[in-house]
Amino acid sequence: AQSVTQLDSHVSVSEGTPVLLRCNYSSSYSPSLFWYVQHPNKGLQLLLKYTSAATLVKGINGFEAEFKKSETSFHLTKPSAHMSDAAEYFCVVSEWSSGDKLTFGTGTRLAVRP
Amino acid sequence: DGGITQSPKYLFRKEGQNVTLSCEQNLNHDAMYWYRQDPGQGLRLIYYSQIVNDFQKGDIAEGYSVSREKKESFPLTVTSAQKNPTAFYLCASSLRQGADGYTFGSGTRLTVV
């Protein structure tokens, strides 16, 4: 069975400082991992995905994530936060044994202070 | 541009009433999904369909019904049997094997009045 744990429900950073959103996963097989972003009252937008190629994945808007199998982690980072990054972020896992259905974390709300 | 369209954006339902949420995609995706989102609970799967005329229950299907008569369309009906329907509903689609992730619509916020 697959699962994902987002370690922080809320993260607050100052504009221009680094962002770190933490995610640990559990999977019986080689998983696919995703980060999605959701702005208020909007749908989810795919930021980046890991599908067993390079372990460091670059996404949109300057975000990146590193797949660490030994730590079962897939943390999301950005070197410098922008006010427009304030949103909710979801870490998501899928594996072929579940028919590639996605399992969502409970989300991390990112606040960016001026 | 291809994408997923959900309508309406806001919907109000009276007690004991059935309502239907629309979801249409022009991405030529085989699979479609309905999720419910409540604050602090992430997304929970209601129903999904991997092919026309076939669909499966998700984790919280009670009080909901769906149909998949066309590849492009996957409407969700919230029935009067759903005791707590107030939530944000998201529709998504993917290629048959969802390993590349899903494309989401912009959501429908349903409120019981």
Side-chain angles (χ1 to χ4, degrees):
Chain A
Q2 60 190 34
S3 67
V4 63
T5 301
Q6 292 185 242
L7 300 168
D8 307 292
S9 58
H10 292 83
V11 170
S12 181
V13 301
S14 297
E15 190 175 20
T17 64
V19 176
L20 170 64
L21 305 183
R22 299 182 294 163
C23 173
N24 288 125
Y25 71 90
S26 173
S27 174
S28 303
Y29 304 94
S30 297
S32 295
L33 291 158
F34 311 84
W35 276 99
Y36 283 85
V37 61
Q38 184 182 33
H39 290 90
N41 293 311
K42 302 289 187 185
L44 276 68
Q45 180 185 18
L46 181 65
L47 275 179
L48 50 80
K49 62 184 177 185
Y50 166 79
T51 54
S52 75
T55 56
L56 182 61
V57 181
K58 293 187 184 299
I60 62 172
N61 300 335
F63 285 95
E64 63 181 38
E66 186 171 7
F67 174 71
K68 292 188 176 181
K69 187 174 181 179
S70 61
E71 299 176 11
T72 61
S73 69
F74 190 59
H75 301 335
L76 181 70
T77 61
K78 183 174 180 178
S80 176
H82 191 273
M83 295 298 291
S84 61
D85 295 327
E88 186 142 26
Y89 292 79
F90 292 94
C91 183
V92 184
V93 63
S94 78
E95 61 179 44
W96 68 267
S97 66
S98 67
D100 289 313
K101 288 200 299 293
L102 303 190
T103 298
F104 288 79
T106 52
T108 297
R109 184 164 298 278
L110 175 66
V112 182
R113 304 184 300 272
Chain B
D1 287 337
I4 297 182
T5 301
Q6 288 188 243
S7 62
K9 189 172 178 65
Y10 298 96
L11 186 58
F12 297 90
R13 190 193 94 168
K14 294 181 180 179
E15 296 278 355
Q17 207 175 38
N18 292 357
V19 291
T20 297
L21 283 60
S22 171
C23 179
E24 304 275 334
Q25 55 100 359
N26 60 3
L27 299 165
N28 200 32
H29 283 172
D30 294 299
M32 297 187 74
Y33 312 82
W34 274 105
Y35 285 89
R36 171 178 171 141
Q37 185 176 25
D38 297 282
Q41 295 194 43
L43 277 68
R44 293 183 289 169
L45 182 64
I46 305 172
Y47 268 98
Y48 65 100
S49 167
Q50 294 183 316
I51 196 169
V52 174
N53 292 322
D54 187 46
F55 48 83
Q56 308 296 329
K57 291 182 178 179
D59 300 319
I60 56 164
E62 185 175 352
Y64 300 97
S65 65
V66 293
S67 62
R68 187 86 186 275
E69 297 176 1
K70 299 186 300 181
K71 187 175 185 178
E72 302 80 17
S73 179
F74 191 43
L76 173 75
T77 296
V78 185
T79 75
S80 56
Q82 171 49 241
K83 297 306 178 189
N84 184 23
T86 295
F88 191 54
Y89 291 87
L90 286 161
C91 179
S93 70
S94 72
L95 295 171
R96 187 173 181 87
Q97 301 298 324
D100 285 336
Y102 297 175
T103 300
F104 282 85
S106 56
T108 293
R109 184 163 296 281
L110 174 63
T111 304
V112 173
V113 296

